[in-house]
Amino acid sequence: MVLKQLENQSSFFDDRLDCDLVIVGGGIVGATLACALKDSGLKTLVIEAKPLEVAASRRQAYSLSLLSSQILTGIGVWQQIFPKIGKYCHIRLSDANYPGIVKFEREDIGTDFLGYVAEHNVVLTALQEAIATRSDVSWLCPAEVIGVEYKDSLAAIEVKVEGKKRLVKTKLVVGADGARSLIRSLAGIETRGWKYWQSCVAFTIKHEAPQNDTAFERFWPTGPMGVLPLPGNHCQIVWTAPHEQAKALQKLDEQEFLRKLEERTGGLLGKLQLVSDRYLFPVQLMQCDRYVKSRLALVGDAAHCCHPVGGQGLNLGIRDAAALAQIIQEACRQGEDIGDLKILKRYERWRKRENLTILGFTDFLDRIFSNNWLPVVTIRRFGLWMLEHLTPLKIFTLKLMTGLKGRTPKLAQF
Ligand SMILES: Cc1cc2nc3c(=O)[nH]c(=O)nc-3n(C[C@H](O)[C@H](O)[C@H](O)COP(=O)(O)OP(=O)(O)OC[C@H]3O[C@@H](n4cnc5c(N)ncnc54)[C@H](O)[C@@H]3O)c2cc1C
């Protein structure tokens, strides 16, 4: 279904623009950017390969940071999302069965919550509904981008829609098309990083014991396990293990799987029931050499991916979207060309270093905890002790993980 067609179709040989900005990928990051551009007056087109309801139906839940909640408030969708999601006031970090637990409390940073847990469809549907009210944003969907040509004054995007090829011309292309970004590879942008020796098994459980306000991250030598509270005594669990073990966990008989899970969660959640499939994800760390080129910017997983420990990936993407929207809006106000490399570099300078800090932090966590070598075990247990007892270190870590460190986009300042 093509939701809203562009009115004019220009030919490749003239310089008539179809729109000011094209966002390729209508996932949460792309849709956030479209919403965040609400006061720019720019004519925006979002191209999404899947039908909207299919894109929204992904069975995944994410930990959303305080900064992400502020950005989503700034674009006016948080009030729809808030009643339908999990909220946590406590975080518990632990090292396998070692008794020294690090306890983070909302009082440590004086906020109502330390974070939220939202299902993909709750967030994306709210964003899609917000876009539907906007006359300056159109969807081309389902439609797949298959090529892009960059010229001095415009970019020409080749799109396959309902089996036919068409051309869309714009001032700026934003690649929000996920980790395997075609937009990134067509632009010849190199990436750096590595695939981990681990995969994640992600699933939702219903549990008997009440636990609706604590997020757990427990580190095992095989990999971390995150337990995130969802409403109604449900939890989203991300269980990281070496590839073969993760594959075996996915296939394991349900009763045996739940028995192993109860063992891992220390019986804390009472009787468990599996209420979703078990999804297997490979884990990688990736950062692009460049986030921008003339007439191109990359956001979200198209620009960087990290280990799911600490639940940061989507939060970084939401922050990219808010930062890019701000840079574009400021350029519009100054009458500047939004596809000019000089303008786009401002976004890259802002986000690349901040993302690298979080990528490095998640990598450090995974490496230091997925290790049984005695000197490393001793150092990390001392580190955990410091984290629990040194208040400035605790507050610094909490602020880093909740997005409250670094430059705050204007959308999140109110
Ligand atoms: C197990 C696991 C747990 C995680 N938990 C968390 C968490 O708790 N918190 C957190 O912040 N992050 C988490 N993440 C990371 C998070 O899932 C990603 O960072 C996030 O989904 C990236 O969003 P995105 O919009 O950039 O990309 P995507 O969600 O991949 O969206 C890309 C969109 O682009 C579309 N598209 C692709 N190619 C084209 C094309 N050629 N033409 C048109 N459209 C196209 C796709 O259909 C899709 O809709 C987790 C990841 C994993 C694997």
Side-chain angles (χ1 to χ4, degrees), residues 124-146:
L124 191 49
T125 304
L127 292 164
Q128 288 174 348
E129 284 171 5
I131 290 174
T133 64
R134 297 256 306 277
S135 58
D136 53 342
V137 185
S138 304
W139 286 99
L140 197 55
C141 161
E144 201 179 343
V145 170
I146 50 174

Side-chain angles (χ1 to χ4, degrees), residues 101-402:
I101 294 176
V102 181
K103 302 185 194 79
F104 295 103
E105 307 293 347
R106 61 184 166 180
E107 292 78 15
D108 294 333
I109 49 171
T111 52
D112 291 342
F113 302 102
L114 287 180
Y116 308 90
V117 187
E119 286 171 293
H120 182 83
N121 78 314
V122 170
V123 183
L124 191 49
T125 304
L127 292 164
Q128 288 174 348
E129 284 171 5
I131 290 174
T133 64
R134 297 256 306 277
S135 58
D136 53 342
V137 185
S138 304
W139 286 99
L140 197 55
C141 161
E144 201 179 343
V145 170
I146 50 174
V148 187
E149 184 166 336
Y150 297 95
K151 296 180 171 185
D152 280 350
S153 58
L154 59 83
I157 305 176
E158 202 179 354
V159 190
K160 205 158 130 198
V161 49
E162 290 176 339
K164 296 193 188 97
K165 284 185 190 167
R166 60 173 296 176
L167 206 62
V168 178
K169 285 194 271 170
T170 185
K171 285 185 212 160
L172 174 63
V173 181
V174 179
D177 51 342
R180 280 179 288 183
S181 171
L182 179 75
I183 298 299
R184 181 183 70 225
S185 41
L186 286 174
I189 295 180
E190 299 286 328
T191 63
R192 284 169 206 274
W194 47 81
K195 295 202 183 332
Y196 285 91
W197 51 289
Q198 299 152 317
S199 294
C200 286
V201 187
F203 52 94
T204 312
I205 53 154
K206 190 169 185 342
H207 49 88
E208 199 179 31
Q211 143 8 55
N212 284 322
D213 62 357
T214 308
F216 296 90
E217 191 82 64
R218 198 164 183 183
F219 295 92
W220 299 89
T222 46
M225 176 188 271
V227 180
L228 301 167
L230 283 163
N233 268 19
H234 283 71
C235 276
Q236 168 77 9
I237 299 192
V238 180
W239 188 342
T240 314
H243 297 307
E244 289 310 313
Q245 278 185 36
K247 269 189 214 155
L249 281 170
Q250 188 195 28
K251 290 191 188 127
L252 203 63
D253 161 76
E254 193 168 317
Q255 289 315 312
E256 181 55 13
F257 177 74
L258 288 173
R259 195 194 59 71
K260 273 186 185 282
L261 182 62
E262 268 181 46
E263 208 177 275
R264 276 281 156 118
T265 50
L268 205 72
L269 300 172
K271 199 168 156 35
L272 307 177
Q273 192 189 334
L274 195 59
V275 294
S276 76
D277 288 337
R278 285 163 268 176
Y279 299 95
L280 192 69
F281 296 93
V283 184
Q284 63 165 328
L285 181 137
M286 183 277 283
Q287 168 93 311
C288 283
D289 280 356
R290 320 171 57 173
Y291 282 16
V292 297
K293 280 182 98 165
S294 176
R295 313 232 158 261
L296 168 69
L298 299 173
V299 289
D301 274 22
H304 47 76
C305 296
C306 62
H307 196 291
V309 61
Q312 293 295 314
L314 179 65
N315 292 299
L316 299 182
I318 291 174
R319 200 167 176 163
D320 291 346
L324 182 59
Q326 183 175 321
I327 299 289
I328 290 174
Q329 276 167 334
E330 283 166 1
C332 284
R333 274 196 290 277
Q334 305 293 325
E336 294 169 312
D337 174 1
I338 60 167
D340 187 337
L341 184 60
K342 177 173 96 255
I343 310 293
L344 299 172
K345 280 269 180 199
R346 294 176 194 157
Y347 158 70
E348 183 180 81
R349 277 196 296 274
W350 180 350
R351 292 302 303 142
K352 202 171 167 208
R353 194 164 347 131
E354 287 191 2
N355 286 336
L356 192 61
T357 306
I358 297 291
L359 262 54
F361 187 63
T362 56
D363 186 61
F364 170 75
L365 281 181
D366 186 58
R367 278 174 201 279
I368 196 156
F369 281 97
S370 303
N371 196 315
N372 252 344
W373 194 42
L374 194 60
V376 175
V377 175
T378 312
I379 291 169
R380 78 170 179 242
R381 290 193 173 158
F382 180 60
L384 282 179
W385 182 90
M386 291 211 302
L387 204 52
E388 176 61 8
H389 294 94
L390 296 186
T391 307
L393 181 64
K394 189 181 240 186
I395 292 174
F396 174 85
T397 309
L398 251 188
K399 287 197 168 170
L400 187 69
M401 300 310 271
T402 51

Side-chain angles (χ1 to χ4, degrees), residues 3-161:
L3 273 186
K4 288 185 201 168
Q5 291 275 13
L6 295 169
E7 297 102 40
N8 306 312
Q9 165 87 75
S10 55
S11 92
F12 186 75
F13 300 102
D14 67 46
D15 279 355
R16 203 151 38 96
L17 295 174
D18 297 292
C19 55
D20 296 305
L21 176 88
V22 170
I23 301 169
V24 182
I28 294 177
V29 175
T32 299
L33 175 62
C35 290
L37 286 166
K38 62 185 165 141
D39 301 319
S40 65
L42 294 170
K43 192 173 164 195
T44 303
L45 178 72
V46 188
I47 304 178
E48 168 53 48
K50 298 184 192 129
L52 290 191
E53 55 288 0
V54 176
S57 67
R58 186 191 297 172
R59 292 298 304 265
Q60 198 175 343
Y62 315 96
S63 165
L64 286 184
S65 69
L66 298 178
L67 180 71
S68 293
S69 75
Q70 289 165 3
I71 291 169
L72 295 170
T73 303
I75 61 182
V77 295
W78 188 243
Q79 67 274 29
Q80 279 97 283
I81 295 173
F82 186 77
K84 301 176 190 161
I85 61 174
K87 293 116 191 156
Y88 52 89
C89 309
H90 322 279
I91 301 174
R92 299 288 178 261
L93 277 191
S94 55
D95 184 4
N97 292 319
Y98 180 67
I101 294 176
V102 181
K103 302 185 194 79
F104 295 103
E105 307 293 347
R106 61 184 166 180
E107 292 78 15
D108 294 333
I109 49 171
T111 52
D112 291 342
F113 302 102
L114 287 180
Y116 308 90
V117 187
E119 286 171 293
H120 182 83
N121 78 314
V122 170
V123 183
L124 191 49
T125 304
L127 292 164
Q128 288 174 348
E129 284 171 5
I131 290 174
T133 64
R134 297 256 306 277
S135 58
D136 53 342
V137 185
S138 304
W139 286 99
L140 197 55
C141 161
E144 201 179 343
V145 170
I146 50 174
V148 187
E149 184 166 336
Y150 297 95
K151 296 180 171 185
D152 280 350
S153 58
L154 59 83
I157 305 176
E158 202 179 354
V159 190
K160 205 158 130 198
V161 49

